[in-house]
Structure formats: C-alpha cells, structure tokens
Amino acid sequence: MQIKGDKWTPILFITPSIVAVGIFVYGFISWTSFISFTKWNNVMPDYTLVGFENYRKLFNNMRFQIDLHNTFVFTVIFVTSCLLIGLLLAVLIDQRIKGEGIFRNLFLLPMAVSFIVSGVIWRWLFNPGSFQLGNIGVNQLFEKVGLNFLTCGWYTDPNIGIKAVAIAAIWQFSGYTMALYLAGLRGIPLELREAAAIDGANQWKTFYYITLPFLRPITFGAIIILGHISLKIFDLVVAMTGSGPAFSSDVPAFFMYDTTFRGNHFAQGASIAIILLFLVSLLIIPYLITTFRKEA
Amino acid sequence: MLRKWLTALVLVSMVVVFFTLPVLAESLSGKVEVNSWWTAGGEAEGLNALIKLYESKYPDIEFINATVAGGAGTNAKAVFKTRMLGGDPPDTFQVHAGHELIDTWVIPGYMQPLTDLYKSEGWTESMPQGVLDIVSYQGDYWSVPVNIHRSNVLWFNKTIFTKYNITPPSNFDQFFDVCDELKEKGIVPFVMGTKEGWEAAHVFESVLLGKLGANDYNGLWTGGVKWSDPRVTDALETFAKIASYLNTDHSALTWDEAGQYLLKDKGAMMIMGDWTNGWFMSVGFEGYGWAPPPDTAGIFLALSDSFALPKGCKNQENVVAWLKVLGSKEGQYSFNKAKGSIPARTDVDISDYNDYLQSAAKDWQKDAISPSVVHGAAASEGWTTEYKDIISLFVSKPDVSYTQKALVTAAEEYLKK
C-alpha cells in the first residue's frame, strides 16, 4: 500500500472533523449572528430582520452596561494577578528547592477542581455573616487573628461584587499560569545565564534582561488563555454569587442565559453571544496574526 | 450473545404485545416521561406520592421521573424549551398556570387543548373559576393544575412576637412601628434572601398589592392601570423603606437560608410564598405564625403548578392517564399534603392537613384572587424577567423615579405585544 504521494488519503482523514467543525462551530456562529438580527424575542421563532435593533436595545440596557463594566474590571484584575502570582510562584519553584514536585502539584491542584465546586466553596468562605448571627468564613478568620478592619461584605457589597469572584478565579488559575511560566523558565538555556553571570550581571539584572524577554511569548499565550476564560466566565459566577446586589457580580454570559431561557429573548441572547465573540476575537486575532507571521 | 438474543426476544414480544393488547384490554403500557423541577423535600415527596398512585393504576407503564434541579425552575425551563423548539417534546412538563403557560406555549401553538378531558372528568365543576380562568385561552382549557400556592404570606416568629407583645401588623404604619421596635431590641425586623434574583420581586408584588388593591394590581398587568400611577411610586418608596430594615447579608442567602434567622429567633418577619410552610415542617420548626402582608387581607395572590399536553408527544395516551391522576381527588389530596400546598379542586377533604393549609384553603374559597407575577401567572416570561431585574437592582440602588421609569418602559413594551 502506498501512502506517500497519495494526495487524497490525508484529505479523506481530516474531512470528517472539518465537516463537524464547519457545522458545529462556524455553522452555528453564522446561525447565531443571523438570529441576532431577527425579531425572535418570544418562544415562537420569528425571522423578521430588524437590523441592529437588538444591539441598540442591548447597549441601552442598564444590566448589560453594568455587565460590560464588570467584565472589564474582572478581566483586568484576573489576568494581571494571575500573571504576577504565576510568575512569582514559578520563579520560586525554579530555585531547585527540595520537594519541588509537592509544591508544583499543590499550586496546580485548584485547576483540577471544577468551577462549580470552587464557586460553592468560595461562596461559603466569602459569606460575610451578619451582625446578629456573627461573622463566618473569611471574616471570622480575620476576627480571630485580630484583623477586624479587614472584615467586609465581600460579594454582598455592591462596591466589591465581581472583585470577590475575581479572587476565587485567581486562586484557581494562578497555579496554571505558574505551570506555563515554569515550562518557559526551564526552556531558557543555562549557558545564557552563566554568560550573563560571567559578564558581571547580578541576579536581578539576569532576571530582567535574560529571563523576562525569554518569557514574553509565554506571557502572550497566557494572556490569551486567561483573557478568553474571563470573557466567557459563567459557571463560577452562577455557583458563587449569581447576579449579586445591583448586578455587581453579573457577567454578559449569565445575562445571556437569563434573557434567553428565562425571558425567551432568543434574539437578544444571540446578540450578547456575538458581542462576546467579538470581544474574544479582539484578543485572539492579533495572536493568530503574529503566530502565522512567525511560521511563514 | 445470549443477552443479545434475550433483548431481541423481549423487543419482539413487546412489539407483539403492543399490537395485540389494545384490542384485548384497555390497560396501557409503554412509557411516560414526566418532567418537573420537584427535587427537594416536600416537593419530591408529593411527586413520589403521585407516581405511586399512577403506578398502582397503570402497572404496565414505565414511569420516567425526569427532574431538573434549581429553584423556581429556571434550569428546568431551559431544558424544556430546548426540547420543545428542537422538535423533541417531553411527554409532559411542569408549567406555571397563567401567562407562562398561555403566552409561552399556548399562543405559539405548541400545546393541545384539554377541554374534552375537563368535561369528561368533571373538572369544570370541581375547580373554582379563578383556576379555570388562568388555564384557559379562547374558550379551551390547556393544562391541569395540581396545586395552589399563596404568594402573599407574612411569616413571623411567634417567640419574638410573644416576648415583646407584638401583634401581626395589618397595615404599613403598624408594620414600620413593629420594625422600629424590633430594631431597637437588636432583632432583624424583616429578613430576605436575594441570592437568586427573584426573591425581592416576590416581596415587592405583595407591597404593590397592598398599595393598589386586587383590582388595580391586576390592572397593572392588563394595561388598565398605568405604571406611572402615584400609588406605584408609593409602593416603591415603601419597599425602599422595608429594605432599610433588612439583614445585611441578604444577597449571600437564598430564601430558605434567610429563613434561618427566624429559626434562630434572630429575625422576626419575612414575606415568602407558602412553600415556606412546607420548609418549616421539614426542618421541624413550629414557632411560626402567619398573616397576610400589610394591607393585603382578603386578597389571595395565587400561583399554580400544572401539567400540559404538548403537540407531538410520543406517549399521548399515557400522558392523558397521568393528567387524569393529577386532576383526581386522591391525586390532589396526596400530592398537596406532602408538598404543603392546597388542592386546586375545592371538593377535596383536607381535614387532616396542617393548620396553615386549612386556613389557606378557607381563604382560597372566600378571598379575591390575584395572579402572582414572579411565579408566571400574571405576565409573560419576558416581562416577568425584566420586572425581576428592575426590582432586584432597586434593592441595592433605591432610586424611585429611575425605577418607576424603567417599570413604565417595560410595561409599554410588553403590553404592546
């Protein structure tokens, strides 16, 4: 049997997945964007086109405005904290310490937990308790160690809201970021560091001029991964807080679920999906462009 | 291999039985899949009581109890909708009688009318007009209600009320006097849990009812009364005042978690539907009393769970048999006793139900009946969702004029449709 040189065999092999991806990813993306331009805002499908009407309404909707703001706050806090904490942990573990494996696994473990589980646990931890029933969770801990001034309403305080959710997400994903960075650190040739040391660079300078530039592609990749997680975040919010007081922990994905399945606003839900897709593509497209350029 | 042969044998015999049995006898066979969101406590017990009854009557039907967990049925409804729209309708599913049933399913033409069943079973006689109204559209009946819940109930802790010699407040002035007094004593006067987003809107419908009365409250949902009415402003201001007496951790709690305040004698009052009665029973709490919320005496804000017959369901005859069990006296009796609600039929003997239910059943016979919004009876699901969002925001940001404007806009949009 001759495989080499046969043009059709490889195409035959990938056709099923191309068809499947074509239908289930791109097909449904086109279908969703079509729906977002229709009047389908009841259970009965109504494919009358209304142009950008759904989008106009959406941007006038107070809940959606709050959601966009929340997403922005969440993304900034979540991505930067994960990067910083991940890098710090990776650098610490990279010092060839004893029991490295244990620490590595310990830091990575939260990622193995589903968002639903961690959401429920963090809901209990951040439950502020009350004046009458006493402090519980994290607040109780603060009270026990005499840090009373740190106790607060957490996600029940409209001014904190989504930031409390971000803390839970950071807990879950900084270990993962650490793993990415650790791989990056291990990929830096030892000779470079040695050469820098011979040239008289101190630890800090080596880190700044050798390590960081080498980690740049990792950082880039991590931002993409973390960024799209934070734009799509849904399960953590649902399990941990719901919409929160004054929608302070509401996110577009949760609004999409609510308006589609509770309110029967299928077209509005589709518009939110398309806006989310647009936001994610803002992150992904520059990444794809640079990757393809490198490969070409 | 043997197993394969056995399976084939069973299949063949099933086919044979399927074709011969209808000729030989009337007994039904096959399957029936009943979808609901009754997964917890008394609800699940009630459902099990019904299943037992059904299985004893139709032992040859395989009963599939398809439940989807989640308060107020949000998740379950998402599943039903996906299946209905996808052309794979469930045999029958739980739906709130009223606009949720009519606007979402009946008007778009997804359901089959049940008028003949109503007549042959005599339900037109045994169910009160208030119930018949909310399950009918254009002269036909569309679903079989199993129970009636009351939305406007003020629950209070008897220990606290006796200790400070307080009687349940019957109007808002008295209500706020009681609140002030209790607040001084270090007790949370009014508790609420708002974690799931619908609870505040639930309390607000009682406030609206108190301020507008049964007729004009109904008018808000049918277009007879404008949302810009000064009494709505008054209701919002009152609600903002109520919110100032709340437990501070309300957004961390579901309604039953908030109920812990009452259990621990730390909170005095809460407004919640009468499933609270079932919950109190299930946690063994007896020190509770009930009254209508301020200014709503003589009005029964009702909601009802019902089951309907979708077009194109696979086991139609078995579903009809299920609906018959639901509407029967014994079905309504055993279901509601466990769930902690009252039967939709008025001819069921409920003398061994608990005190609350007996009093609710009496009120049901003599009170004016208004539909609940949050539980799908008064308005379409789209409007209900928007209403709930607006009120939920209002609890934390009590801006009366902004909120009223939002309510007016929502009403205009949905009354137009």
Side-chain angles (χ1 to χ4, degrees), chain A residues 201-214 216:
Chain A
N202 58 21
Q203 285 254 328
W204 177 245
K205 271 191 173 158
T206 320
F207 179 74
Y208 193 79
Y209 289 107
I210 308 283
T211 313
L212 275 189
F214 260 94
R216 196 172 293 150

Side-chain angles (χ1 to χ4, degrees), chain B residues 162-194:
Chain B
T162 330
K163 188 171 167 195
Y164 299 113
N165 202 12
I166 296 169
T167 48
S170 62
N171 60 43
F172 280 106
D173 289 338
Q174 289 174 14
F175 176 81
F176 287 122
D177 287 344
V178 170
C179 285
D180 284 328
E181 192 183 339
L182 289 169
K183 203 177 179 183
E184 257 173 48
K185 304 283 195 304
I187 287 165
V188 187
F190 190 78
V191 299
M192 195 155 91
T194 57

